[in-house]
Amino acid sequence: MVSDGRVGSIYCMLTGMPIGNLTSQIFANIYLNELDRFVKHTLKAKAYLRYGDDFIVVENDLEKLKYFRTETVRFLAKELKLQVNPKSDKIMKVAHGLKFLGVKLWPSGRTLSVRNLARVCERLQPNNISSYSGLLKKHGTEKQLKHFNWLISDKLFFD
């Protein structure tokens, strides 16, 4: 999430719904396609990202974003018969960083959240090293990656 070069703050809105198994996630993608079309084509947000039931709307203008929030909540309730979880409904400055899908995002980059790094360390097994290695290479800091590499050597040589 990078500013388009204009001076000012970028704000974003985070929302989500509880979703269970894989089938529910697939149906959520199909069902929420209408939300995607609404946000992109009707609201015409600066940026919009959705993964499953979680989404972010990015806009430079706070008042415009508040309007987007109202219209999105209304659309979800009226057209899709869904309610937004108040715990997940936040407006914040992107410069403060935001957590989305286990990654902390800033305009300048991203890092794996501390909670997810701890989960990786707890769940690390010889059969999932390559998966977690890719996760850390993509989203981790250099320090997190070094720590992970030491964990791998412990798992491979001392377990």
Side-chain angles (χ1 to χ4, degrees):
M1 301 212 191
V2 179
S3 172
D4 60 1
R6 289 184 278 183
V7 178
S9 298
I10 296 176
Y11 297 87
C12 69
M13 175 175 57
L14 301 174
T15 56
M17 301 174 300
I19 294 289
N21 61 30
L22 182 59
T23 307
S24 296
Q25 294 173 14
I26 292 167
F27 285 133
N29 281 335
I30 294 167
Y31 195 65
L32 292 173
N33 180 59
E34 294 304 315
L35 173 65
D36 298 342
R37 296 177 61 75
F38 175 74
V39 173
K40 289 182 198 175
H41 301 294
T42 304
L43 296 180
K44 298 182 180 177
K46 175 182 173 65
Y48 169 71
L49 172 68
R50 183 177 65 80
Y51 182 86
D53 63 324
D54 297 315
F55 66 91
I56 299 173
V57 178
V58 178
E59 186 58 54
N60 286 341
D61 182 359
L62 179 58
E63 292 307 314
K64 197 171 183 181
L65 187 64
K66 287 178 181 178
Y67 169 76
F68 287 174
R69 172 202 260 169
T70 302
E71 290 302 305
T72 302
V73 169
R74 184 201 56 75
F75 177 84
L76 287 169
K78 184 178 177 189
E79 302 298 326
L80 301 179
K81 310 296 186 241
L82 296 172
Q83 292 182 344
V84 175
N85 182 344
K87 285 183 179 179
S88 301
D89 185 10
K90 301 174 186 172
I91 291 181
M92 60 182 55
K93 286 187 176 186
V94 175
H96 295 160
L98 60 110
K99 292 179 188 173
F100 186 66
L101 304 174
V103 178
K104 186 95 178 208
L105 302 169
W106 289 276
S108 60
R110 63 185 177 261
T111 59
L112 192 63
S113 71
V114 173
R115 179 179 177 212
N116 279 355
L117 180 61
R119 280 185 180 170
V120 166
C121 295
E122 284 175 20
R123 297 176 182 176
L124 187 62
Q125 299 294 322
N127 64 337
N128 62 16
I129 287 174
S130 61
S131 174
Y132 286 139
S133 179
L135 179 72
L136 266 291
K137 285 177 184 172
K138 185 74 173 173
H139 301 296
T141 63
E142 189 175 324
K143 184 177 177 181
Q144 290 172 333
L145 193 54
K146 283 182 183 179
H147 177 71
F148 178 76
N149 288 334
W150 279 106
L151 282 175
I152 291 173
S153 63
D154 276 353
K155 289 282 181 190
L156 291 177
F157 300 117
F158 300 111
D159 276 353

